[in-house]
Amino acid sequence: MNIKRTLLLLLSSAPSFLFFGQEKTIDTVYLFDNQMKRVKLFHNITTITPQDVEKNSNNLSELLRFQSAVYIKENGRGAVSSPSFRGTTANHTAFVWNGININSIFLGQGDINNIPLFGYDQIDIKSGGGSVIYGSSAIGGSIHLNNDLNFNRGFGTSLYSEYASFDTYNNFAKLSFSNDKLSIKASGGHSISRNDYKVEEESNYINRNGQYNNTTFNLGVSYKIAPHQTISWQSQFYDSAQHYPIFTENGNKTKYETQSTRSLISWDINTQKLSNSFKAAYTEDNFQYFGVYHAPKTSGGTGKNYILKNDFNYFILPKLNFNLITEFQVNKGEGYESGISSISRNIGGLAGLIRYFASDDLRFEAGIKKDFVEDISSPVLFSFSGKWNTSKWYQLGINLSRNFRYPTFNELYWQPGGNLDLKSETSIQADMDHEFRLGKFRLNLSPYYMNISDYISWIPTPYGYWAPFNTHKVESYGLESQLNFDQKINNHLFKLNIGYTYSKSINKETDKQMMYVPLHKVFGNIDYQYRFLRLYVQGMYNGLTYTTSDEKRSDALDPYFVLNAGVYATILKNYTIGFKVNNITDTIYKTVAYYPLPKRNYSISATINF
């Protein structure tokens, strides 16, 4: 296969056709996030499959904690949760659903435990900046929730049901059909838990009022209207209720409810020299906070986003590729008891990228972008990446970028406290990827450096309330590393995935480590499969973590190590039963002060695939 044919297959935004030589329609796959295929050409991406999801099926927080380099702050199991990439905060993490940034317009971040866990065909995790492609907040890293639609697969059905400790039930069902023209996939899930676990060693802690439930439904449809054109629709509907833990039996019980709708239509064209993907999307997030759980809401809000995005990709020469991305958004928000009235903001973006493929072993990408945010000044962004396969055993990659985050609705308009004079945060960062290969082993070492300016912090004012200001700079540097091994010997399959991160993140004003940034984190998953039997063991070590800005040791979270294991048996090809033990060693640990996570707990599951 020549290089041009290979690149078109990788870079195209519609189903993968072979256009060079003879034209032949094969078992194609339509990916909604067409940019992710291009990102993988230049960056190391951690991909989590639906089978991996079943190892950590309680919520997205648990999944990311044990299967990625991301640090997760979780206020008790299933409660408010946020991610930290490379020493940054949740505001510097972009959540991307099928190519669309879905961070809250009020908070500028995503609450992980209010994002569905099931229903994606893969979850991709990218460390490092990506604002040129994915916009605001893509500074520390991005989490990609991706769906695809297969053609020529016929009917497919999958049912998953799990019962776990603390009266936890997780259920998920998926139905799909496709032929050479039409592909349909529908799925739905429901999770509910009383979540009343105990940790006696932590002042007889009981997770009182910690119950939660959520329901999600996904529907995707793709139709080939012509040999090189596809019309597709992807949607997600989510509803949840989250009660906040209290420390005493007679404490005030509160809860939080949220409903979200995400829908996008995509028209994709793919020919010999060019591809174009036009998307129209609508997202809506509603939330309500109840200061007394059985009384009327005490605060809340509604955020609506209308998005138009076009991704044009053209081969100027067989080795030279041009990519133009244009986007326009209208953000509308209305608060309740927050001082935020009905507000609206227009955002436009224009990005251009050039990719040059010198050979099969050497490639470069350079990008530039300008965002136009109503009433907010935004910087010119840039990115540069290169990858070089120097030999069979070593690959070198380099990435430079300027990224940004514009102020959120809460930061601008919350009353009292909103600050209309805020500037966008900007970051400059660089990292290098060193990949070493020896047989079936692959080792990645990625040192990085990042500098964030005009950091936005909420601080107390002389008037008795808190307000956001551009306060200081943050300097982050460290190392991400990952070792992978995959070997099949007859009927024996072995997989190994171990990662280590070192994160130094300094507030340049105080010269202290940022809060909730552990210096060290280690995670690992070992899988073994023999015929119908599959086993896994996973562990996670988290180093000392400061919870105050002055590095006060007595308030810091102590290091901890947590070990999980599970076994699955497939019967008659279509039926699988599983048993898991989480926190085998009964470790006492917290990711947020005062809120310990569960000790040893169990689950049993059943899966049916047709």
Side-chain angles (χ1 to χ4, degrees), residues 71 101 134 200 205 219 224 253 289 401 521 539 603 610:
Y71 177 71
N101 189 315
Y134 294 112
E200 296 86 351
Y205 178 86
L219 178 62
K224 296 179 183 177
K253 296 181 179 179
Y289 174 73
S401 62
K521 179 184 176 180
S603 75
F610 290 103

mmCIF file of all heavy atoms in Angstrom, residues 71 101 134 200 205 219 224 253 289 401 521 539 603 610:
data_model
loop_
_atom_site.group_PDB
_atom_site.id
_atom_site.type_symbol
_atom_site.label_atom_id
_atom_site.label_comp_id
_atom_site.label_asym_id
_atom_site.label_seq_id
_atom_site.Cartn_x
_atom_site.Cartn_y
_atom_site.Cartn_z
ATOM 1 N N TYR A 71 -5.265 12.185 37.575
ATOM 2 C CA TYR A 71 -5.610 12.167 38.997
ATOM 3 C C TYR A 71 -7.065 12.602 39.140
ATOM 4 O O TYR A 71 -7.487 13.599 38.553
ATOM 5 C CB TYR A 71 -4.709 13.099 39.801
ATOM 6 C CG TYR A 71 -5.097 13.157 41.267
ATOM 7 C CD1 TYR A 71 -4.860 12.068 42.097
ATOM 8 C CD2 TYR A 71 -5.712 14.282 41.808
ATOM 9 C CE1 TYR A 71 -5.229 12.102 43.434
ATOM 10 C CE2 TYR A 71 -6.073 14.329 43.146
ATOM 11 C CZ TYR A 71 -5.828 13.233 43.952
ATOM 12 O OH TYR A 71 -6.196 13.263 45.283
ATOM 13 N N ASN A 101 -16.724 19.823 22.075
ATOM 14 C CA ASN A 101 -16.372 20.166 23.456
ATOM 15 C C ASN A 101 -17.651 20.347 24.272
ATOM 16 O O ASN A 101 -18.521 21.157 23.920
ATOM 17 C CB ASN A 101 -15.542 21.456 23.456
ATOM 18 C CG ASN A 101 -14.941 21.771 24.815
ATOM 19 O OD1 ASN A 101 -15.595 21.678 25.840
ATOM 20 N ND2 ASN A 101 -13.680 22.157 24.824
ATOM 21 N N TYR A 134 -9.519 21.398 19.695
ATOM 22 C CA TYR A 134 -10.647 21.139 20.588
ATOM 23 C C TYR A 134 -11.041 22.330 21.457
ATOM 24 O O TYR A 134 -11.920 22.210 22.302
ATOM 25 C CB TYR A 134 -10.354 19.913 21.448
ATOM 26 C CG TYR A 134 -10.281 18.642 20.629
ATOM 27 C CD1 TYR A 134 -9.087 17.960 20.469
ATOM 28 C CD2 TYR A 134 -11.408 18.142 19.992
ATOM 29 C CE1 TYR A 134 -9.018 16.793 19.716
ATOM 30 C CE2 TYR A 134 -11.350 16.990 19.235
ATOM 31 C CZ TYR A 134 -10.150 16.314 19.096
ATOM 32 O OH TYR A 134 -10.085 15.160 18.337
ATOM 33 N N GLU A 200 -14.807 2.526 59.293
ATOM 34 C CA GLU A 200 -14.747 2.718 60.744
ATOM 35 C C GLU A 200 -13.472 3.405 61.194
ATOM 36 O O GLU A 200 -13.468 4.186 62.163
ATOM 37 C CB GLU A 200 -14.883 1.373 61.460
ATOM 38 C CG GLU A 200 -16.216 0.667 61.265
ATOM 39 C CD GLU A 200 -16.254 -0.179 60.001
ATOM 40 O OE1 GLU A 200 -15.292 -0.067 59.197
ATOM 41 O OE2 GLU A 200 -17.230 -0.923 59.807
ATOM 42 N N TYR A 205 -16.676 6.672 59.934
ATOM 43 C CA TYR A 205 -17.334 7.324 58.804
ATOM 44 C C TYR A 205 -18.371 6.411 58.170
ATOM 45 O O TYR A 205 -18.140 5.228 57.919
ATOM 46 C CB TYR A 205 -16.302 7.726 57.753
ATOM 47 C CG TYR A 205 -16.912 8.373 56.524
ATOM 48 C CD1 TYR A 205 -17.166 9.737 56.503
ATOM 49 C CD2 TYR A 205 -17.235 7.624 55.398
ATOM 50 C CE1 TYR A 205 -17.720 10.353 55.396
ATOM 51 C CE2 TYR A 205 -17.798 8.216 54.279
ATOM 52 C CZ TYR A 205 -18.032 9.587 54.283
ATOM 53 O OH TYR A 205 -18.602 10.181 53.169
ATOM 54 N N LEU A 219 -28.495 7.090 20.783
ATOM 55 C CA LEU A 219 -28.992 6.637 19.487
ATOM 56 C C LEU A 219 -28.108 7.201 18.392
ATOM 57 O O LEU A 219 -27.836 8.404 18.349
ATOM 58 C CB LEU A 219 -30.433 7.098 19.270
ATOM 59 C CG LEU A 219 -31.062 6.721 17.916
ATOM 60 C CD1 LEU A 219 -31.137 5.206 17.757
ATOM 61 C CD2 LEU A 219 -32.445 7.351 17.776
ATOM 62 N N LYS A 224 -25.572 6.095 3.909
ATOM 63 C CA LYS A 224 -24.770 6.473 2.752
ATOM 64 C C LYS A 224 -25.697 6.965 1.642
ATOM 65 O O LYS A 224 -26.391 6.183 0.996
ATOM 66 C CB LYS A 224 -23.957 5.280 2.249
ATOM 67 C CG LYS A 224 -22.928 4.780 3.252
ATOM 68 C CD LYS A 224 -22.167 3.585 2.687
ATOM 69 C CE LYS A 224 -21.194 3.018 3.697
ATOM 70 N NZ LYS A 224 -20.495 1.814 3.190
ATOM 71 N N LYS A 253 -29.720 17.048 54.773
ATOM 72 C CA LYS A 253 -29.579 16.251 53.558
ATOM 73 C C LYS A 253 -29.824 17.116 52.320
ATOM 74 O O LYS A 253 -30.855 17.773 52.211
ATOM 75 C CB LYS A 253 -30.563 15.074 53.580
ATOM 76 C CG LYS A 253 -30.294 14.078 54.691
ATOM 77 C CD LYS A 253 -31.279 12.925 54.647
ATOM 78 C CE LYS A 253 -30.982 11.915 55.750
ATOM 79 N NZ LYS A 253 -31.949 10.790 55.723
ATOM 80 N N TYR A 289 -29.946 22.346 42.398
ATOM 81 C CA TYR A 289 -29.410 22.008 43.712
ATOM 82 C C TYR A 289 -30.511 22.188 44.744
ATOM 83 O O TYR A 289 -31.226 23.202 44.736
ATOM 84 C CB TYR A 289 -28.216 22.900 44.057
ATOM 85 C CG TYR A 289 -27.713 22.695 45.469
ATOM 86 C CD1 TYR A 289 -27.009 21.544 45.807
ATOM 87 C CD2 TYR A 289 -27.951 23.648 46.457
ATOM 88 C CE1 TYR A 289 -26.559 21.337 47.109
ATOM 89 C CE2 TYR A 289 -27.495 23.458 47.753
ATOM 90 C CZ TYR A 289 -26.801 22.300 48.073
ATOM 91 O OH TYR A 289 -26.362 22.110 49.355
ATOM 92 N N SER A 401 2.978 23.799 21.809
ATOM 93 C CA SER A 401 1.668 24.401 21.570
ATOM 94 C C SER A 401 1.405 25.558 22.517
ATOM 95 O O SER A 401 1.993 25.651 23.610
ATOM 96 C CB SER A 401 0.550 23.358 21.721
ATOM 97 O OG SER A 401 0.506 22.836 23.032
ATOM 98 N N LYS A 521 2.251 9.047 40.802
ATOM 99 C CA LYS A 521 1.123 8.136 40.620
ATOM 100 C C LYS A 521 1.575 6.956 39.770
ATOM 101 O O LYS A 521 2.280 7.145 38.768
ATOM 102 C CB LYS A 521 -0.075 8.827 39.950
ATOM 103 C CG LYS A 521 -1.241 7.850 39.732
ATOM 104 C CD LYS A 521 -2.416 8.446 38.984
ATOM 105 C CE LYS A 521 -3.466 7.358 38.734
ATOM 106 N NZ LYS A 521 -4.655 7.863 38.008
ATOM 107 N N GLY A 539 -3.840 -2.332 39.838
ATOM 108 C CA GLY A 539 -3.439 -1.633 41.041
ATOM 109 C C GLY A 539 -3.177 -0.171 40.757
ATOM 110 O O GLY A 539 -2.930 0.237 39.617
ATOM 111 N N SER A 603 -18.558 -7.462 43.407
ATOM 112 C CA SER A 603 -19.635 -7.386 42.416
ATOM 113 C C SER A 603 -19.673 -8.672 41.606
ATOM 114 O O SER A 603 -18.663 -9.372 41.463
ATOM 115 C CB SER A 603 -19.447 -6.183 41.485
ATOM 116 O OG SER A 603 -18.421 -6.427 40.542
ATOM 117 N N PHE A 610 -24.979 -11.278 21.217
ATOM 118 C CA PHE A 610 -25.449 -12.005 20.033
ATOM 119 C C PHE A 610 -25.067 -11.228 18.783
ATOM 120 O O PHE A 610 -25.045 -10.005 18.784
ATOM 121 C CB PHE A 610 -26.964 -12.185 20.072
ATOM 122 C CG PHE A 610 -27.432 -13.142 21.137
ATOM 123 C CD1 PHE A 610 -27.987 -12.657 22.314
ATOM 124 C CD2 PHE A 610 -27.303 -14.510 20.968
ATOM 125 C CE1 PHE A 610 -28.428 -13.529 23.297
ATOM 126 C CE2 PHE A 610 -27.746 -15.396 21.942
ATOM 127 C CZ PHE A 610 -28.316 -14.891 23.110
#
